Amino acid sequence: MPGQHLPRGEHRVKTIAGELAYFVRGRARQNLKVLVLYCVFLLAVILLNALTFRFLMLHLEGREFTLIASVYWTITVMTTLGFGDITFHTDPGYLFASFVTLSGVVFLLILLPFGMVSLFLAPWIENRLRYRPTKGVAPATRGHVVICGLDPVTRALVSKLKARNIPFVVVTDKYEEALRLEEEDGMRVSYGNPADAEVLLKLQVGGARAVIANLNDTDNTNIILTVRSLCRTPLIALVDEPEHAEFLRLAGADQVIPLKKLLGHYLATRATTQGALAHVLDSIGKLLVAELPVHGTPFSGQSLAAAGIRERTGLAVVGMWERGAFTIPGPETILADRAVIVVVGTREHLEELERLTGEKTEEDLVLILGHGRIGCSAATFLDRRPVPFILVDRAVNPLCSEHVAVIGDATARSVLQGASIGEAKGLIVTTNDDGANIFLTLASRHLNPHIRIVSRANREENVDQLYAAGADFVVSNASVGANILMNILEHKESVFLTEGMQVFRFPVPPSMHGTTLRTSRLRSRTGSTVIALEQPGEKEMTILPSPDDLLVKGMSLIMIGSPEQEAFCRRELH
Ligand code: AMP
Ligand code: ZN
């Protein structure tokens, strides 16, 4: 896919540009001036010799040559080519020709190459050889995030950290990677083995906000043990194998994120048309956030007001997905059959919805393309519902003894048809190759126009292409991972809905104790909407409170808004 290869190509261009840039910087720039002056001098010598040649030929031997011919003669003699097609026949002429040859040897064949090597080539090679990647950070650095292992997830995190002005440093023990990353705009890199105590001390790990261990499970264990031998800095580890989570915790990690397992759940949640409780994505206090496909519910095709979801179940509809676009629906918004609504409420509310929509709307069959760690986790999730599924993979998953997959390349039409793509209600596309994922999404949409397709994007830049190929829902590894990490780093209690939209909890500030929601003017002041009030002790919840509801001490507001709006609330409301 074109998008996939872009970064590498871009990088090559950057490197060449970087090398060229070397010649216009600092001392090299000074030397470039010397070279230009020398060339002007050479031109003057050639011209002077040519004019003298013309004069001598005319006066010594009575032969007349044009200026072009004179320059030609001078150059062939100075470069010691000496074709011999134009020659002197007198002693003074021979003397002059010898002088021109010698001046050519000195100025053109000795001084020029020597100057080029000593002024440009040698300093450049020296510069490359002397290059030492940065090791460590300034001794006064505090509150930074130390990132071990840069991949699409931590890259997405880096851009979030940059946007929030949180300092960070990426550590790598690969020389080439350090060199490459240091040339990248705004990337802070340090060269060294992150499991080495001395390296960590130079990174001021004791004063860091957090350390993120994102290498393989064994290397992560080493990092965690070393950091713990030095300080109590919060440690977040991403784990490949969920079974290893316990070891990483024992080693001293504060948070262990089984990202691939979570991604599998995200995919599975969105691929079935089962009852409401099967779609819970996350929770905040007692509030559950669920994403429910409209398809198969009695609300399909109705307006939000007519559907009366709030009146009938107590749930708040806080968002709607339609082919990759997230909107906050108003009373008039039509709940399209292929849309997915985001609802917030308690378990009781969701049970009420489940009663309303029926436990099982139809016989589900979900096809899972890719039985790696993520596909396997999706299968395990569906197995528990239980939802029937068929797995397809090129190879047998050596880590899984639970599932039996159809073996074959999913991009072959016969394999897809053999795996009953025609009968399946849902499809999870989860190979590690985005090119294949885009192709599979497109082919499946063609083979079964009504199937619910949930696709995985291994790289952020392929999200749009997956939607364009016909996915109903795209789960981006990088974006989900970076949001989980960011939520932990900012110690906030929030649930990520989509880029720029989250549900967060915020204690009622003292200045608002005793006011009502209307008089607090929260929405006009902050831009975010209160979707629930949490009573002290989390016993009671008021979902979609009325403007006249009283705000009291100890109460928490559950709000929906952008990360910036949340930051504004925490900063400005006291
Ligand atoms: P993971 O990244 O751990 O979820 O693994 C991805 C899985 O996708 C691996 O098990 C691969 O064998 C599988 N895979 C990659 N390309 C294809 C393909 N074209 N057809 C079937 N399976 C594939
Ligand atoms: Zn499995």
Side-chain angles (χ1 to χ4, degrees):
M1 279 299 122
Q4 266 186 307
H5 300 295
L6 198 68
R8 205 181 286 163
E10 231 175 34
H11 172 73
R12 195 167 298 140
V13 172
K14 257 190 200 157
T15 314
I16 295 170
E19 298 302 343
L20 287 178
Y22 166 82
F23 291 100
V24 291
R25 275 197 306 255
R27 217 181 70 199
R29 192 192 183 126
Q30 210 53 39
N31 292 343
L32 204 62
K33 270 190 197 157
V34 175
L35 180 73
V36 170
L37 280 178
Y38 187 73
C39 287
V40 171
F41 166 74
L42 266 182
L43 281 178
V45 170
I46 291 171
L47 202 65
L48 196 69
N49 282 340
L51 290 174
T52 314
F53 163 82
R54 214 167 156 233
F55 177 83
L56 289 179
M57 269 300 186
L58 195 65
H59 290 93
L60 291 177
E61 311 195 359
R63 287 192 281 164
E64 191 168 357
F65 285 93
T66 61
L67 187 64
I68 302 275
S70 311
V71 169
Y72 160 76
W73 177 86
T74 311
I75 290 175
T76 54
V77 174
M78 278 184 82
T79 54
T80 70
L81 275 176
F83 291 132
D85 49 350
I86 307 172
T87 48
F88 282 101
H89 299 293
T90 56
D91 282 350
Y94 292 143
L95 266 178
F96 174 65
S98 309
F99 167 76
V100 174
T101 310
L102 281 178
S103 74
V105 169
V106 172
F107 294 129
L108 261 179
L109 303 185
I110 297 178
L111 283 184
L112 187 65
F114 178 78
M116 287 293 273
V117 169
S118 65
L119 292 181
F120 294 98
L121 204 58
W124 179 71
I125 292 174
E126 200 186 352
N127 184 62
R128 296 303 286 180
L129 291 180
R130 221 185 20 214
Y131 176 79
R132 292 274 174 275
T134 319
K135 288 180 180 173
V137 296
T141 311
R142 291 288 174 273
H144 53 304
V145 179
V146 177
I147 301 172
C148 314
L150 197 65
D151 67 350
V153 173
T154 36
R155 257 185 193 280
L157 178 71
V158 161
S159 41
K160 281 176 190 294
L161 293 173
K162 279 188 198 166
R164 286 169 177 71
N165 276 324
I166 299 176
F168 66 90
V169 59
V170 175
V171 202
T172 173
D173 58 355
K174 293 184 198 75
Y175 184 84
E176 280 298 316
E177 190 186 28
L179 208 137
R180 191 160 45 81
L181 290 176
E182 266 198 38
E183 282 171 3
E184 233 176 83
D185 206 26
M187 191 61 87
R188 302 261 297 106
V189 197
S190 182
Y191 174 60
N193 179 359
D196 180 345
E198 263 181 43
V199 170
L200 286 169
L201 285 173
K202 282 199 193 120
L203 291 167
Q204 306 300 330
V205 72
R209 178 193 287 248
V211 176
I212 295 175
N214 185 31
L215 297 167
N216 60 49
D217 294 354
T218 44
D219 287 349
N220 282 350
T221 315
N222 274 337
I223 296 172
I224 294 164
L225 287 170
T226 320
V227 173
R228 273 296 161 262
S229 70
L230 297 172
C231 59
R232 294 293 321 152
T233 301
L235 259 165
I236 309 164
L238 285 116
V239 68
D240 275 336
E241 194 56 59
E243 285 168 14
H244 292 163
E246 203 43 47
F247 301 132
L248 297 186
R249 255 187 230 106
L250 277 175
D254 298 290
Q255 305 257 4
V256 181
I257 307 167
L259 186 58
K260 297 210 159 169
K261 183 174 157 190
L262 293 176
L263 286 165
H265 291 185
Y266 267 62
L267 289 165
T269 307
R270 287 154 168 162
T272 72
T273 55
Q274 282 225 319
L277 276 167
H279 298 275
V280 174
L281 270 190
D282 216 333
S283 62
I284 179 161
K286 276 180 96 183
L287 275 194
L288 304 177
V289 178
E291 281 179 351
L292 184 81
V294 173
H295 175 78
T297 67
F299 321 122
S300 177
Q302 295 185 356
S303 72
L304 185 58
I309 297 174
R310 157 110 179 86
E311 293 73 24
R312 290 154 83 180
T313 66
L315 286 167
V317 180
V318 299
M320 187 170 89
W321 285 103
E322 219 180 336
R323 277 281 160 103
F326 182 88
T327 49
I328 296 192
E332 304 306 319
T333 309
I334 301 293
L335 305 177
D337 193 61
R338 62 170 335 106
V340 174
I341 51 174
V342 182
V343 293
V344 174
T346 61
R347 175 162 287 275
E348 293 73 44
H349 296 143
L350 278 167
E351 277 166 4
E352 194 56 46
L353 181 67
E354 197 148 287
R355 265 194 289 282
L356 204 67
T357 56
E359 174 88 2
K360 243 186 209 162
T361 49
E362 54 195 290
E363 197 51 50
D364 257 345
L365 170 65
V366 177
L367 195 56
I368 306 176
L369 307 180
H371 182 213
R373 286 211 170 93
I374 299 180
C376 186
S377 150
T380 309
F381 190 85
L382 292 179
D383 225 1
R384 267 191 251 128
R385 301 292 139 182
V387 175
F389 58 85
I390 297 175
L391 280 161
V392 179
D393 201 299
R394 273 202 297 235
V396 175
N397 183 341
L399 299 167
C400 171
S401 52
E402 225 174 294
H403 311 119
V404 183
V406 174
I407 301 298
D409 190 328
T411 53
R413 193 191 183 108
S414 57
V415 173
L416 273 187
Q417 275 166 340
S420 357
I421 181 94
E423 291 93 72
K425 293 283 185 294
L427 171 70
I428 299 177
V429 183
T430 171
T431 80
N432 47 354
D433 173 355
D434 278 353
N437 288 352
I438 294 169
F439 177 84
L440 290 170
T441 303
L442 196 79
S444 310
R445 176 59 73 219
H446 178 71
L447 292 172
N448 183 347
H450 302 296
I451 199 165
R452 162 171 305 282
I453 304 181
V454 185
S455 308
R456 146 182 168 195
N458 296 289
R459 301 181 70 111
E460 198 62 29
E461 57 263 35
N462 293 323
V463 170
D464 290 343
Q465 290 183 45
L466 283 163
Y467 275 121
D472 292 296
F473 221 111
V474 178
V475 174
S476 153
N477 292 5
S479 167
V480 170
N483 277 297
I484 294 174
L485 288 173
M486 202 64 215
N487 273 351
I488 297 175
L489 284 176
E490 298 204 313
H491 308 288
K492 59 186 179 194
E493 303 166 275
S494 53
V495 170
F496 164 73
L497 295 182
T498 172
E499 219 53 62
M501 201 59 75
Q502 54 198 33
V503 174
F504 57 95
R505 181 201 266 130
F506 182 69
V508 174
S511 62
M512 288 181 192
H513 291 166
T515 65
T516 63
L517 262 181
R518 192 195 309 274
T519 50
S520 74
R521 297 190 4 265
L522 263 166
R523 193 199 303 237
S524 60
R525 282 170 69 189
T526 67
S528 21
T529 309
V530 177
I531 55 172
L533 296 177
E534 199 178 46
Q535 312 293 338
E538 285 189 26
K539 286 208 184 61
E540 286 288 317
M541 277 281 197
T542 316
I543 312 266
L544 293 181
S546 92
D548 299 315
D549 277 345
L550 208 59
L551 304 177
V552 297
K553 192 171 173 215
M555 205 183 236
S556 284
L557 307 162
I558 309 284
M559 305 173 83
I560 180 168
S562 68
E564 293 72 32
Q565 288 167 348
E566 178 184 354
F568 176 84
C569 289
R570 301 204 188 273
R571 206 173 51 237
E572 303 292 329
L573 303 180
H574 301 286

